[in-house]
Amino acid sequence: MFTRYFSLGRKILFSSLLLGTVVALLAGCFQLMIFHHKRAEQFDSIAHDLQKYLNNYFGELLTTIDKLQPLTLSHCENVAAELTSRAAFSLNVRAFLLVDNGNAFCSSATGEMSVPMKQLVPQVDVTKALDLSILPGTPMMPQRAAFALWVRSPLLENRGVFTSINASLMPWILYSSRQNQFSGISVVANGIAVSTFSPNPQPVSMLREKPIRSAKIDGLPLTVNVYGDAWASENMQFSLLMGVMCGLLSGLLCYYVLSVRLRPGKEITSAIKRNQFYVVYQPVVEAENMQIRGVEVLMRWKHPTAGEIPPDAFINFAEAQQLIVPLTRHLFDLIAKDAPVLQRMLPPGAKLGINIAPAHLLADSFKQDLRDLSSMLPPNYFQLVLEITERDMLNQRQAVSLFEWLHHEGYEIAIDDFGTGHSALIYLERYSFDYLKIDRGFVNAIGTETVTSPVLDAVLSLARKMNIVTVAEGVETQEQASWLRQHGVNFMQGYWISRPLTLEKLLEAHAKPENYFTTG
Ligand code: C2E
Ligand code: CA
Ligand code: CA
């Protein structure tokens, strides 16, 4: 479970960046969608309002025109006054013209007349029941655009009413000036548009933009268009800002949570506080007589969720997290706590083998930590043996001076896992140490590989010649034990003798005389 923490810093950074980016994208898009939706709603409501306004206006106008239709039967002089007053009371109407047989014979503005409609307003088709067009101007107001509306009488053949209406978009421009999300309006009849883009009517094809909303006016060939951008740049900027802020915040929060709150190193520190570490002791016996001469102290972690975590995993992990020093100090405390019980079981001078991680050897506090341990143990009872693997051996000069200091202070040194490193034999000559712990790989090979195990044989005879005391690790069978004894191994350790035991189990084993090893 701990290998995942090894490139921790990078993983945390990567996760935070990933989360930040995802959140930034999501928040930005979400904000943009909200803006977009709001904008769409506003466009809908503007188009709807304009359509409603025009429907009402032209609805009323058509009702007025219906009322004017019977006047086309009368002489102009008889109806001119009524025509004029109707025009005066109809909003935006410039003039009503009564038409008989294609001839305009009465105007609300100028009274009696006689001009063919074809000549007067060629844009409208009086043969149709209803026609609507847009004119650049009318005789009275030549510069101001006007709607030209022709309505044929439904009952009286060849008669009808023509109306010219102001096509100024002023009220809508005023309206639009309050709504900054759209850029313009146009009203289109017969392919001609009056718009807020130009003072004069122009063909629809000349309008620059495509409308974002269009609405038809009831009963008339008239369309009102709204123009604008579906996406506003200020909304995009705001969404971007929002996304960046949310991303940054969540990235930082993630970084904080992962690196500060859930920092894996914290697991070790909190496991120390919660007393999740404990120690087991594996007896080391003298090969000659199977008498227990000491124990190797091995640490265990009972994790509340992950269960028992093997030391190979958490020791490396603690080293990677720079937590090996506090962890070893904790180990020292645990040993000191057990020491009075151990003292009752083990003979005076019994060896306590303690594994020392290389990072701890190099730590400034190492010497003081050892002195603290010694001071916590019963005085002059145990012999501390520091187990250091040859793999992790320090550079030569450091090692020589450290070994000297250790010996001077009364500690013994064991080279652990001997045979698993590369330059094993060089160490035998170079360093003064007390025990050689032969790796269980060699011991395993006894009786399987070759009958004689020549390498182990050579190592043991060399050690004997150099007066180095040997400890065989991982002795699992009686066959191995006999072989090792015959070849002059001094001490043995392994499952055949005893598994690593908790203090209670060690006490039980001590009480039972049928054990392989004896504690007397
Ligand atoms: P190690 O120092 O070589 O410890 C001996 C390992 O061999 C122990 O494993 C022990 O349980 C196991 N062992 C003993 N007899 C036999 C046997 O007959 N057969 C087999 N197959 N295995 C046997 P453990 O306790 O899992 O520890 C593994 C390693 O973790 C240790 O190897 C040591 O390097 C490290 N370690 C354990 N406790 C500590 C500690 O307190 N501090 C430090 N720095 N390292 C520790
Ligand atoms: Ca060891
Ligand atoms: Ca070992």
Side-chain angles (χ1 to χ4, degrees):
M1 75 179 268
F2 290 102
T3 41
R4 68 191 159 103
Y5 289 126
F6 283 131
S7 54
L8 186 74
R10 270 210 212 146
K11 272 190 184 162
I12 291 181
L13 197 70
F14 179 73
S15 311
S16 310
L17 274 176
L18 192 71
L19 184 83
T21 315
V22 170
V23 169
L25 281 174
L26 285 179
C29 287
F30 186 64
Q31 183 61 60
L32 207 59
M33 287 329 290
I34 291 178
F35 277 136
H36 187 64
H37 182 69
K38 257 191 167 172
R39 225 173 143 73
E41 274 183 348
Q42 280 164 337
F43 282 132
D44 285 342
S45 110
I46 292 163
H48 180 254
D49 286 356
L50 289 171
Q51 184 188 33
K52 203 169 139 195
Y53 172 83
L54 289 171
N55 274 341
N56 279 342
Y57 176 78
F58 280 102
E60 274 176 30
L61 189 65
L62 287 172
T63 313
T64 308
I65 290 170
D66 275 351
K67 288 180 188 155
L68 292 177
Q69 291 294 1
L71 305 187
T72 52
L73 286 171
S74 310
H75 279 292
C76 186
E77 62 201 47
N78 299 334
V79 293
E82 187 182 348
L83 203 58
T84 307
S85 83
R86 286 280 186 186
F89 288 106
S90 299
L91 197 69
N92 284 324
V93 167
R94 289 192 196 166
F96 286 122
L97 266 63
L98 302 179
V99 179
D100 176 15
N101 224 348
N103 193 50
F105 69 92
C106 192
S107 158
S108 64
T110 53
E112 194 158 338
M113 63 191 290
S114 178
V115 183
M117 280 299 286
K118 265 201 181 130
Q119 183 188 331
L120 197 64
V121 197
Q123 293 92 334
V124 299
D125 182 356
V126 290
T127 62
K128 287 186 181 170
L130 187 144
D131 199 14
L132 181 70
S133 202
I134 292 174
L135 312 177
T138 48
M140 302 267 214
M141 296 172 110
Q143 300 300 323
R144 297 281 180 93
F147 293 111
L149 175 62
W150 160 250
V151 185
R152 199 175 68 195
S153 166
L155 302 171
L156 311 165
E157 224 179 307
N158 292 333
R159 291 168 202 270
V161 175
F162 172 81
T163 317
S164 56
I165 307 144
N166 283 332
S168 153
L169 294 182
M170 256 333 264
W172 305 326
I173 292 169
L174 280 178
Y175 180 72
S176 73
S177 67
R178 277 187 283 125
Q179 318 274 325
N180 55 8
Q181 58 272 50
F182 71 95
S183 57
I185 306 165
S186 73
V187 180
V188 180
N190 254 344
I192 305 290
V194 266
S195 72
T196 52
F197 304 118
S198 155
N200 301 314
Q202 56 189 151
V204 192
S205 54
M206 283 180 69
L207 290 175
R208 282 172 286 128
E209 295 180 51
K210 284 237 166 309
I212 192 144
R213 293 287 184 280
S214 289
K216 293 215 171 301
I217 306 308
D218 293 346
L220 291 172
L222 190 68
T223 310
V224 59
N225 296 316
V226 177
Y227 300 83
D229 293 323
W231 305 94
S233 68
E234 68 266 23
N235 288 354
M236 290 202 220
Q237 281 164 10
F238 185 84
S239 304
L240 192 74
L241 195 75
M242 179 89 175
V244 168
M245 297 244 293
C246 288
L248 214 65
L249 264 175
S250 53
L252 283 175
L253 194 73
C254 172
Y255 189 82
Y256 171 77
V257 169
L258 288 183
S259 62
V260 179
R261 285 303 190 80
L262 302 178
R263 203 174 66 211
K266 242 188 133 157
E267 290 217 43
I268 292 226
T269 340
S270 75
I272 291 176
K273 275 194 208 130
R274 292 182 188 145
N275 242 335
Q276 289 167 7
F277 290 105
Y278 65 97
V279 282
V280 288
Y281 301 93
Q282 187 174 32
V284 179
V285 297
E286 199 171 322
E288 281 277 282
N289 52 23
M290 297 297 279
Q291 293 232 330
I292 188 164
R293 291 294 177 228
V295 288
E296 177 174 358
V297 184
L298 296 160
M299 214 179 336
R300 296 284 178 269
W301 182 357
K302 195 171 171 52
H303 193 279
T305 51
E308 291 277 350
I309 299 170
D312 297 312
F314 70 79
I315 297 288
N316 288 341
F317 174 61
E319 282 196 74
Q321 297 296 319
Q322 266 98 50
L323 287 170
I324 195 71
V325 174
L327 187 61
T328 316
R329 280 188 197 145
H330 182 59
L331 171 77
F332 290 177
D333 289 340
L334 293 173
I335 296 171
K337 214 173 72 204
D338 287 351
V341 181
L342 288 173
Q343 191 179 6
R344 279 194 273 131
M345 271 184 283
L346 299 175
K351 323 236 177 248
L352 289 186
I354 300 172
N355 294 287
I356 299 293
H360 197 189
L361 282 183
L362 293 170
D364 295 336
S365 69
F366 179 63
K367 291 177 180 173
Q368 189 53 46
D369 291 340
L370 272 186
R371 284 189 180 126
D372 291 346
L373 171 64
S374 300
S375 70
M376 288 189 286
L377 294 176
N380 304 321
Y381 196 88
F382 294 111
Q383 172 61 56
L384 292 181
V385 181
L386 307 180
E387 299 193 7
I388 299 162
T389 64
E390 50 158 330
R391 257 193 320 273
D392 302 320
M393 200 75 94
L394 314 149
N395 72 46
Q396 194 181 343
R397 232 163 38 104
Q398 268 178 316
V400 168
S401 79
L402 184 70
F403 284 14
E404 259 172 30
W405 180 86
L406 287 170
H407 281 142
H408 178 257
E409 295 282 308
Y411 302 104
E412 288 183 333
I413 300 159
I415 300 299
D416 205 357
D417 300 346
F418 182 78
T420 55
H422 293 299
S423 42
L425 290 175
I426 292 177
Y427 291 103
L428 300 184
E429 239 185 4
R430 196 174 284 170
Y431 305 109
S432 62
F433 51 84
D434 307 280
Y435 307 96
L436 197 65
K437 292 193 82 170
I438 294 155
D439 191 70
R440 68 166 173 272
F442 284 110
V443 177
N444 248 345
I446 298 173
T448 56
E449 207 177 67
T450 60
V451 194
T452 48
S453 300
V455 180
L456 185 53
D457 202 5
V459 168
L460 289 177
S461 63
L462 191 68
R464 221 179 12 254
K465 273 182 206 147
M466 295 176 78
N467 279 329
I468 299 169
V469 182
T470 49
V471 184
E473 289 190 308
V475 182
E476 290 183 354
T477 64
Q478 183 163 20
E479 191 196 359
Q480 292 165 352
S482 322
W483 192 97
L484 291 163
R485 208 181 284 127
Q486 278 162 26
H487 288 76
V489 161
N490 305 93
F491 294 97
M492 293 194 297
Q493 177 184 355
Y495 292 171
W496 182 69
I497 298 142
S498 169
R499 287 192 172 254
L501 302 170
T502 57
L503 192 68
E504 294 78 54
K505 288 271 157 60
L506 193 67
L507 259 177
E508 276 173 34
H510 172 65
K512 281 186 198 155
E514 68 269 19
N515 276 305
Y516 285 115
F517 63 91
T518 51
T519 51

